[in-house]
Amino acid sequence: MKIAFIINDHKTEKANYTTPALGYAAYKRGHDVYFIGVGELSYASKGHLSVRSKTISGKKFNSQETYFNALQKEDFSTITSEELDVLFLRNNPADEINERDWAQNAAFIFGEIAMNNGVIVLNHPKSLAGAVNKMYFQHFPEILRPKTIISRDHQEIKDFFKKQKQKMILKPLQGSGGTNVFMMDKKNEHNLTQTIDAIARDGFVIAQEYLKEASKGDTRLFLMNGKPLKVNGKYAIMQRINASNDIRSNIHAGGKPATVKMTDQIMELADIVRPKLVQDGMFLVGIDIVGDKLMEINVFSPGGINVISQMYDEDFATPIIKAIEKKVYYKSMYSNYLFNSRLATL
C-alpha cells in the first residue's frame, strides 16, 4: 500500500505528534509512506495530483521519533495520485488562520482531485470542506451540545450573557487548540465589549454555556469508522486536565493528560454522533466531552494517539492502519462501485 499523509508543514510537524505515529505504524507494516506539506501540493496538466513529498525506506527504526526525524532529513521526491492508494488529510486548517490563509482549504480541494483519480481520501474531503469551522458541530443533535449562539452582534451576545447568569465561554467560530478562548463572568464583565471586538475581528463569535465540569478539563475519545477505538479491552480515551488557572484543556495549551474510564454516558454520546460521522465519511475523529455534553468534534487532525498509547501501554496507531488496509482491499474488490464517502467509514 502506498499511503500519503498531508500535514500543515514539515517545519512545524513534530516527531511525537499523532500523524508521525500513524506513519510509523504503516512503515512498520511494510507500506510505502509519504509526508506532504500543504504547500507541496500541485495539479498536473494531465488532470491528476502531483506532490513533492518526503519518504524513507529500507531502514529499521526503534521509535516513531527516530523514524520521523530521519524521514525529515530526506530530500523531496515527486509522487502522483496515479501511484497512491490512500491520501490521509491530517493538516489543521485552523493553524493557518492569519498566517497562510491560502492553505486553509487547499488539502480538501486537492483531496477531491485525488479522489476523482481513484485514491481513497480520508477523511472524506467534501465533508471536511463543510466542517472547516465550528458551525459543523451545530449540525449534530441539540441534546449533545451546550447552549450556544453564534453572532457578531454585541447586544445579542450580551443578552445571552445575562441569560447564562453572567458566566459563559467566548471563542472564535474558526480556530482550534484553545486559541482566543475566554471565560466571561462578573469579575471581567467590564472587558466584555473589548473581548467580543477582539474575537469578531476575525469573524463570528461563539458564545457558549459554561459547564461547571469544565473546571476539571475534558475527555478526548477517538472514534474510528464511527465507533470508539478499542484495543485489547482498552479505549483510546484520556482526560485532559486544565493547567492552573486556564480554562483550556488542550495538551498544546498546557493541559495534562490522564487515564480515564469509559462510562455508559460517554458511550451514549458516541452512539448519538455516529450516524452523521458515518454518513459524512469521517474515518478518524476526536470528540471532546465535558460532563454530559460534547464540546467539540475534531474531524481534521485529532491529536493524542501517541499519548494515549503510552498511558495505556497499547498500540492504538496500528489498528487505524489495519482499518485503512481493509478499505484498500474493499476498493480492489468492488472497483468503482463504492463511493469514497462510504468507503471512508466502512
Side-chain angles (χ1 to χ4, degrees):
M1 177 173 75
K2 291 183 183 292
I3 179 170
F5 296 89
I6 293 186
I7 56 178
N8 286 71
D9 194 288
H10 283 279
K11 294 177 182 178
T12 57
E13 191 73 12
K14 296 182 179 179
N16 64 343
Y17 281 3
T18 292
T19 308
L22 296 173
Y24 182 50
Y27 182 83
K28 286 190 296 182
R29 291 183 63 78
H31 301 304
D32 295 331
V33 181
Y34 306 85
F35 282 83
I36 306 159
V38 173
E40 283 115 42
L41 297 164
S42 65
Y43 178 77
S45 58
K46 293 182 180 179
H48 56 255
L49 183 71
S50 177
V51 300
R52 293 169 65 242
S53 67
K54 290 198 173 189
T55 186
I56 196 167
S57 61
K59 297 179 182 179
K60 290 186 178 181
F61 300 95
N62 294 323
S63 69
Q64 75 177 61
E65 286 82 4
T66 55
Y67 159 75
F68 193 70
N69 287 334
L71 178 140
Q72 290 285 55
K73 294 176 182 177
E74 295 291 310
D75 293 330
F76 282 102
S77 58
T78 301
I79 189 169
T80 72
S81 52
E82 293 176 310
E83 302 166 80
L84 286 176
D85 297 300
V86 180
L87 182 65
F88 202 161
L89 310 182
R90 287 282 306 173
N91 64 302
N92 185 358
D95 287 349
E96 310 290 2
I97 296 173
N98 298 326
E99 296 290 335
R100 304 192 306 170
D101 289 338
W102 56 266
Q104 289 184 55
N105 301 328
F108 39 80
I109 291 172
F110 282 95
E112 283 200 45
I113 295 170
M115 185 181 72
N116 292 336
N117 292 159
V119 179
I120 299 172
V121 182
L122 308 169
N123 292 337
H124 186 55
K126 289 185 178 180
S127 296
L128 287 180
V132 74
N133 60 51
K134 294 185 177 73
M135 189 68 81
Y136 179 72
F137 184 48
Q138 304 306 121
H139 295 298
F140 288 82
E142 190 172 354
I143 191 174
L144 296 169
R145 300 181 269 113
K147 295 182 180 68
T148 302
I149 65 167
I150 299 173
S151 178
R152 288 173 52 83
D153 185 273
H154 279 240
Q155 193 56 51
E156 188 176 7
I157 295 171
K158 289 176 180 178
D159 289 344
F160 181 80
F161 183 59
K162 291 178 182 178
K163 289 179 183 177
Q164 296 304 311
K165 299 179 180 179
Q166 294 172 297
K167 198 164 190 177
M168 68 178 178
I169 300 295
L170 288 183
K171 55 188 177 181
L173 181 60
Q174 286 188 287
S176 69
T179 304
N180 292 332
V181 179
F182 303 92
M183 186 180 78
M184 307 305 301
D185 56 19
K186 294 178 182 179
K187 294 178 182 178
N188 61 4
E189 184 176 357
H190 61 281
N191 290 325
L192 182 55
T193 296
Q194 296 95 314
T195 305
I196 295 170
D197 279 337
I199 300 174
R201 275 198 293 267
D202 295 323
F204 283 85
V205 180
I206 296 177
Q208 195 170 71
E209 169 190 9
Y210 175 76
L211 302 176
K212 292 180 181 178
E213 298 92 338
S215 62
K216 301 174 184 176
D218 65 10
T219 300
R220 161 64 59 90
L221 172 65
F222 276 88
L223 304 179
M224 184 178 75
N225 293 327
K227 296 179 181 179
L229 176 56
K230 186 178 181 181
V231 176
N232 295 326
K234 299 175 184 178
Y235 289 95
I237 186 172
M238 68 176 168
Q239 185 78 11
R240 302 189 299 181
I241 302 168
N242 301 348
S244 179
N245 298 319
D246 196 330
I247 61 170
R248 303 171 300 169
S249 56
N250 308 73
I251 302 299
H252 293 164
K256 302 295 183 182
T259 59
V260 63
K261 291 184 179 180
M262 176 62 77
T263 65
D264 291 341
Q265 188 177 67
I266 293 174
M267 287 294 286
E268 183 178 357
L269 287 174
D271 189 56
I272 295 172
V273 301
R274 182 174 183 267
K276 180 165 176 58
L277 293 177
V278 169
Q279 174 182 275
D280 292 350
M282 298 299 189
F283 165 61
L284 187 66
V285 172
I287 62 173
D288 300 333
I289 302 162
V290 171
D292 62 350
K293 300 291 184 181
L294 279 184
M295 295 302 291
E296 192 167 342
I297 299 178
N298 188 326
V299 298
F300 286 98
S301 58
I305 282 292
N306 48 332
V307 175
I308 292 171
S309 294
Q310 291 169 5
M311 283 196 302
Y312 296 103
D313 194 25
E314 291 288 353
D315 177 5
F316 286 98
T318 297
I320 295 170
I321 300 303
K322 287 182 177 179
I324 295 173
E325 291 169 357
K326 274 192 175 182
K327 299 177 195 304
V328 173
Y329 173 72
Y330 292 148
K331 185 173 180 61
S332 70
M333 291 293 103
Y334 283 88
S335 187
N336 295 322
Y337 286 98
L338 294 174
F339 293 117
N340 189 81
S341 57
R342 186 66 193 95
L343 193 57
T345 50
L346 197 60

